[in-house]
Short mmCIF file of all heavy atoms in Angstrom, two decimals:
data_model
loop_
_atom_site.label_atom_id
_atom_site.label_comp_id
_atom_site.label_asym_id
_atom_site.label_seq_id
_atom_site.Cartn_x
_atom_site.Cartn_y
_atom_site.Cartn_z
N ASN A 31 15.27 1.24 8.81
CA ASN A 31 15.63 1.72 7.49
C ASN A 31 15.28 3.18 7.34
O ASN A 31 14.61 3.78 8.18
CB ASN A 31 15.00 0.87 6.37
CG ASN A 31 13.55 1.20 6.09
OD1 ASN A 31 13.18 2.36 6.02
ND2 ASN A 31 12.73 0.19 5.91
N GLN A 33 14.32 6.05 4.04
CA GLN A 33 14.07 6.28 2.62
C GLN A 33 13.97 7.77 2.35
O GLN A 33 13.49 8.53 3.20
CB GLN A 33 12.74 5.63 2.19
CG GLN A 33 12.83 4.14 1.94
CD GLN A 33 11.53 3.60 1.35
OE1 GLN A 33 10.68 3.10 2.06
NE2 GLN A 33 11.40 3.71 0.05
N PHE A 35 12.18 10.34 -0.50
CA PHE A 35 11.16 10.41 -1.52
C PHE A 35 11.11 11.81 -2.11
O PHE A 35 11.42 12.80 -1.43
CB PHE A 35 9.76 10.13 -0.92
CG PHE A 35 9.56 8.76 -0.38
CD1 PHE A 35 9.82 8.49 0.95
CD2 PHE A 35 9.07 7.74 -1.18
CE1 PHE A 35 9.60 7.22 1.48
CE2 PHE A 35 8.86 6.48 -0.67
CZ PHE A 35 9.13 6.22 0.65
N GLN A 37 8.17 14.18 -3.79
CA GLN A 37 6.76 14.32 -4.11
C GLN A 37 6.63 15.38 -5.20
O GLN A 37 6.96 16.56 -4.96
CB GLN A 37 5.92 14.70 -2.89
CG GLN A 37 4.42 14.65 -3.16
CD GLN A 37 3.60 14.73 -1.89
OE1 GLN A 37 3.89 15.49 -0.98
NE2 GLN A 37 2.53 13.93 -1.83
N GLN A 42 2.40 12.72 -6.45
CA GLN A 42 2.92 11.36 -6.45
C GLN A 42 4.24 11.30 -5.71
O GLN A 42 5.13 12.13 -5.93
CB GLN A 42 3.12 10.86 -7.89
CG GLN A 42 3.67 9.45 -7.99
CD GLN A 42 2.71 8.39 -7.49
OE1 GLN A 42 1.54 8.36 -7.84
NE2 GLN A 42 3.22 7.48 -6.64
N LEU A 43 4.37 10.31 -4.83
CA LEU A 43 5.61 10.09 -4.08
C LEU A 43 6.48 9.11 -4.84
O LEU A 43 6.07 7.97 -5.11
CB LEU A 43 5.31 9.55 -2.69
CG LEU A 43 4.93 10.60 -1.66
CD1 LEU A 43 4.12 10.00 -0.54
CD2 LEU A 43 6.16 11.27 -1.09
N ASN A 45 10.07 7.00 -5.02
CA ASN A 45 11.24 6.54 -4.29
C ASN A 45 12.51 7.09 -4.89
O ASN A 45 12.71 7.02 -6.09
CB ASN A 45 11.34 5.01 -4.38
CG ASN A 45 10.33 4.33 -3.51
OD1 ASN A 45 10.36 4.45 -2.30
ND2 ASN A 45 9.42 3.62 -4.13
N TYR A 48 16.58 3.95 -0.83
CA TYR A 48 16.41 3.16 0.38
C TYR A 48 17.80 3.04 0.96
O TYR A 48 18.67 2.39 0.36
CB TYR A 48 15.81 1.80 0.04
CG TYR A 48 15.92 0.78 1.15
CD1 TYR A 48 15.13 0.86 2.27
CD2 TYR A 48 16.83 -0.29 1.06
CE1 TYR A 48 15.22 -0.08 3.29
CE2 TYR A 48 16.92 -1.23 2.07
CZ TYR A 48 16.12 -1.12 3.18
OH TYR A 48 16.22 -2.05 4.18
N LEU A 90 11.88 4.00 9.38
CA LEU A 90 11.06 2.86 9.80
C LEU A 90 11.68 2.25 11.05
O LEU A 90 12.87 1.93 11.06
CB LEU A 90 11.01 1.82 8.69
CG LEU A 90 10.04 0.67 8.90
CD1 LEU A 90 8.61 1.14 8.75
CD2 LEU A 90 10.32 -0.46 7.91
N GLY A 93 8.30 -1.45 12.53
CA GLY A 93 7.13 -1.49 11.67
C GLY A 93 6.45 -0.16 11.44
O GLY A 93 5.67 -0.02 10.50
N LYS A 94 6.72 0.81 12.29
CA LYS A 94 6.04 2.10 12.15
C LYS A 94 6.92 3.06 11.37
O LYS A 94 8.10 3.20 11.65
CB LYS A 94 5.73 2.68 13.52
CG LYS A 94 4.90 3.96 13.45
CD LYS A 94 4.40 4.36 14.82
CE LYS A 94 3.59 5.64 14.74
NZ LYS A 94 3.04 6.01 16.06
N SER A 95 6.31 3.72 10.39
CA SER A 95 7.03 4.63 9.52
C SER A 95 6.73 6.06 9.92
O SER A 95 5.58 6.44 10.10
CB SER A 95 6.57 4.37 8.08
OG SER A 95 7.29 5.17 7.17
N PHE A 97 7.53 10.11 8.91
CA PHE A 97 8.04 11.03 7.91
C PHE A 97 8.43 12.35 8.55
O PHE A 97 7.81 12.81 9.51
CB PHE A 97 6.96 11.32 6.87
CG PHE A 97 6.86 10.28 5.79
CD1 PHE A 97 6.39 9.00 6.06
CD2 PHE A 97 7.22 10.58 4.48
CE1 PHE A 97 6.30 8.04 5.07
CE2 PHE A 97 7.13 9.63 3.48
CZ PHE A 97 6.67 8.37 3.77
N TYR B 33 0.69 -0.02 4.17
CA TYR B 33 0.59 1.15 5.05
C TYR B 33 -0.48 2.11 4.52
O TYR B 33 -0.62 2.27 3.31
CB TYR B 33 1.91 1.94 5.06
CG TYR B 33 3.14 1.17 5.48
CD1 TYR B 33 3.79 0.32 4.60
CD2 TYR B 33 3.68 1.33 6.76
CE1 TYR B 33 4.94 -0.36 4.97
CE2 TYR B 33 4.82 0.66 7.13
CZ TYR B 33 5.44 -0.18 6.24
OH TYR B 33 6.59 -0.85 6.61
N TYR B 35 -1.52 6.25 5.03
CA TYR B 35 -1.10 7.55 5.53
C TYR B 35 -2.15 8.58 5.16
O TYR B 35 -2.92 8.40 4.22
CB TYR B 35 0.23 8.00 4.91
CG TYR B 35 1.41 7.12 5.18
CD1 TYR B 35 1.70 6.04 4.35
CD2 TYR B 35 2.27 7.37 6.25
CE1 TYR B 35 2.80 5.23 4.58
CE2 TYR B 35 3.37 6.57 6.48
CZ TYR B 35 3.64 5.50 5.64
OH TYR B 35 4.72 4.71 5.88
N GLN B 37 -2.33 12.83 4.30
CA GLN B 37 -1.56 14.06 4.06
C GLN B 37 -2.53 15.22 3.89
O GLN B 37 -3.25 15.27 2.89
CB GLN B 37 -0.66 13.92 2.83
CG GLN B 37 0.28 15.11 2.63
CD GLN B 37 1.24 14.92 1.48
OE1 GLN B 37 0.94 14.24 0.51
NE2 GLN B 37 2.42 15.53 1.59
N LEU B 43 3.36 13.58 5.84
CA LEU B 43 2.53 12.39 5.89
C LEU B 43 2.33 11.93 7.33
O LEU B 43 3.29 11.82 8.09
CB LEU B 43 3.18 11.26 5.08
CG LEU B 43 2.86 11.25 3.60
CD1 LEU B 43 3.59 12.37 2.90
CD2 LEU B 43 3.21 9.90 2.99
N PHE B 45 1.18 8.85 9.62
CA PHE B 45 0.98 7.40 9.64
C PHE B 45 -0.37 7.07 10.26
O PHE B 45 -0.73 7.61 11.31
CB PHE B 45 2.10 6.75 10.44
CG PHE B 45 1.87 5.31 10.80
CD1 PHE B 45 2.14 4.30 9.89
CD2 PHE B 45 1.40 4.96 12.05
CE1 PHE B 45 1.94 2.97 10.22
CE2 PHE B 45 1.19 3.64 12.39
CZ PHE B 45 1.46 2.64 11.48
N TYR B 48 -0.72 0.03 9.80
CA TYR B 48 0.27 -0.81 9.15
C TYR B 48 -0.16 -2.27 9.27
O TYR B 48 -0.48 -2.74 10.35
CB TYR B 48 1.63 -0.58 9.81
CG TYR B 48 2.69 -1.63 9.62
CD1 TYR B 48 3.22 -1.88 8.35
CD2 TYR B 48 3.20 -2.35 10.70
CE1 TYR B 48 4.23 -2.82 8.18
CE2 TYR B 48 4.21 -3.28 10.53
CZ TYR B 48 4.71 -3.51 9.27
OH TYR B 48 5.71 -4.43 9.09
N THR B 98 12.12 -6.14 1.95
CA THR B 98 13.21 -5.17 1.93
C THR B 98 12.82 -3.87 2.60
O THR B 98 13.66 -3.02 2.82
CB THR B 98 13.65 -4.86 0.49
OG1 THR B 98 12.55 -4.25 -0.19
CG2 THR B 98 14.08 -6.11 -0.22
N ASP B 99 11.53 -3.70 2.88
CA ASP B 99 11.00 -2.51 3.54
C ASP B 99 10.99 -1.26 2.68
O ASP B 99 10.70 -0.19 3.16
CB ASP B 99 11.75 -2.21 4.84
CG ASP B 99 11.47 -3.24 5.91
OD1 ASP B 99 10.39 -3.84 5.88
OD2 ASP B 99 12.35 -3.46 6.75
N THR B 100 11.39 -1.34 1.42
CA THR B 100 11.26 -0.18 0.54
C THR B 100 9.78 0.02 0.25
O THR B 100 9.13 -0.86 -0.31
CB THR B 100 12.03 -0.40 -0.77
OG1 THR B 100 13.40 -0.63 -0.46
CG2 THR B 100 11.89 0.80 -1.68
N GLN B 101 9.24 1.17 0.61
CA GLN B 101 7.82 1.44 0.42
C GLN B 101 7.58 2.04 -0.96
O GLN B 101 8.29 2.95 -1.39
CB GLN B 101 7.31 2.42 1.47
CG GLN B 101 7.34 1.87 2.88
CD GLN B 101 6.78 2.84 3.87
OE1 GLN B 101 5.60 3.22 3.80
NE2 GLN B 101 7.60 3.28 4.81
N TYR B 102 6.54 1.53 -1.62
CA TYR B 102 6.10 2.07 -2.90
C TYR B 102 4.69 2.62 -2.72
O TYR B 102 3.81 1.90 -2.23
CB TYR B 102 6.12 0.98 -3.98
CG TYR B 102 7.52 0.47 -4.26
CD1 TYR B 102 8.05 -0.60 -3.55
CD2 TYR B 102 8.32 1.09 -5.22
CE1 TYR B 102 9.34 -1.04 -3.78
CE2 TYR B 102 9.60 0.64 -5.47
CZ TYR B 102 10.10 -0.43 -4.74
OH TYR B 102 11.38 -0.86 -4.97
N PHE B 103 4.51 3.87 -3.14
CA PHE B 103 3.25 4.56 -2.89
C PHE B 103 2.31 4.53 -4.09
O PHE B 103 2.74 4.56 -5.24
CB PHE B 103 3.52 6.02 -2.52
CG PHE B 103 3.89 6.21 -1.08
CD1 PHE B 103 5.19 6.01 -0.66
CD2 PHE B 103 2.94 6.58 -0.15
CE1 PHE B 103 5.54 6.16 0.68
CE2 PHE B 103 3.27 6.75 1.19
CZ PHE B 103 4.58 6.54 1.60
N GLY B 104 1.02 4.50 -3.76
CA GLY B 104 0.00 4.69 -4.76
C GLY B 104 -0.21 6.18 -5.01
O GLY B 104 0.41 7.03 -4.36
N PRO B 105 -1.11 6.51 -5.95
CA PRO B 105 -1.34 7.91 -6.31
C PRO B 105 -2.20 8.68 -5.31
O PRO B 105 -2.29 9.90 -5.38
CB PRO B 105 -2.06 7.81 -7.66
CG PRO B 105 -2.75 6.48 -7.60
CD PRO B 105 -1.85 5.58 -6.81
#
Side-chain angles (χ1 to χ4, degrees):
Chain A
N31 80 44
Q33 280 187 264
F35 295 91
Q37 188 167 41
Q42 180 67 48
L43 278 156
N45 285 296
Y48 165 73
L90 188 72
K94 185 170 180 177
S95 183
F97 277 69
Chain B
Y33 303 79
Y35 298 88
Q37 186 175 30
L43 274 74
F45 167 82
Y48 161 65
T98 63
D99 291 332
T100 301
Q101 294 183 62
Y102 295 90
F103 278 82

